Amino acid sequence: MRRRALLDGGIAAVALGGAGLLSGSLTATLGRDDDTATAAATGTPGATSPVPQEQNGGPSVPAAQVPVGGSATVKDPASGDAVYIVQPAAGQYAGLSSVCTHSGCAVNPPKDGQLYCPCHGSKFDAATGAVITGPAVKPLPKYTVTKNGDQLRLGPQQKS
Ligand code: FES
């Protein structure tokens, strides 16, 4: 009888201890969930966050960074794709997508008036984006670029 009482008490103690552990585990889990929710809410950009400059008319670069025949790289705010701002002739600026129209590889920056795709060898005209050599058949998408003071700003992608 005494042995039975000890045994029953031990089981009850284990059961209570288990319930306590379970309770603590649930509390910890719920607490973590609350912390996660708080972190996600505070990490979410609020409506009062300042709008990045890129969304107020496209990214810009100093014109001095785009020599004749050279380029500077910016990001299309709509697609996230890299765009080369080029100056094929003095004072003439344009934006050309860096995404090859053949299979989507990144074309190299302009060199000797051409943009070369290292994947399959397509070449594009650095002034117009037109295909010089395939296998690509479509030109590189083109963007307007406006010069304002000493800044070049990427405009929208032109319709082909
Ligand atoms: Fe550019 Fe094929 S992806 S030539």
Side-chain angles (χ1 to χ4, degrees), residues 100-105 107 117-122 124 134-136:
C100 182
T101 56
H102 176 235
S103 288
C105 288
V107 299
C117 179
C119 286
H120 309 103
S122 290
F124 302 90

Side-chain angles (χ1 to χ4, degrees), residues 6 8 19 24 48-49 53 85 103 120 126-127 139-140:
L6 280 174
D8 287 348
T48 58
S49 296
Q53 186 66 22
I85 293 183
S103 288
H120 309 103
L140 294 174

Side-chain angles (χ1 to χ4, degrees), residues 73-155:
T73 307
V74 295
K75 198 178 267 189
D76 179 337
S79 67
D81 293 335
V83 176
Y84 295 121
I85 293 183
V86 298
Q87 184 182 192
Q92 294 180 5
Y93 298 98
L96 295 173
S97 172
S98 70
V99 181
C100 182
T101 56
H102 176 235
S103 288
C105 288
V107 299
N108 292 338
K111 183 178 176 188
D112 299 328
Q114 299 179 354
L115 294 98
Y116 174 74
C117 179
C119 286
H120 309 103
S122 290
K123 291 179 184 174
F124 302 90
D125 186 288
T128 65
V131 175
I132 297 171
T133 305
V137 293
K138 290 183 179 177
L140 294 174
K142 200 170 178 183
Y143 296 74
T144 56
V145 171
T146 54
K147 188 168 190 271
N148 193 355
D150 64 349
Q151 292 288 310
L152 300 173
R153 185 173 299 280
L154 186 73

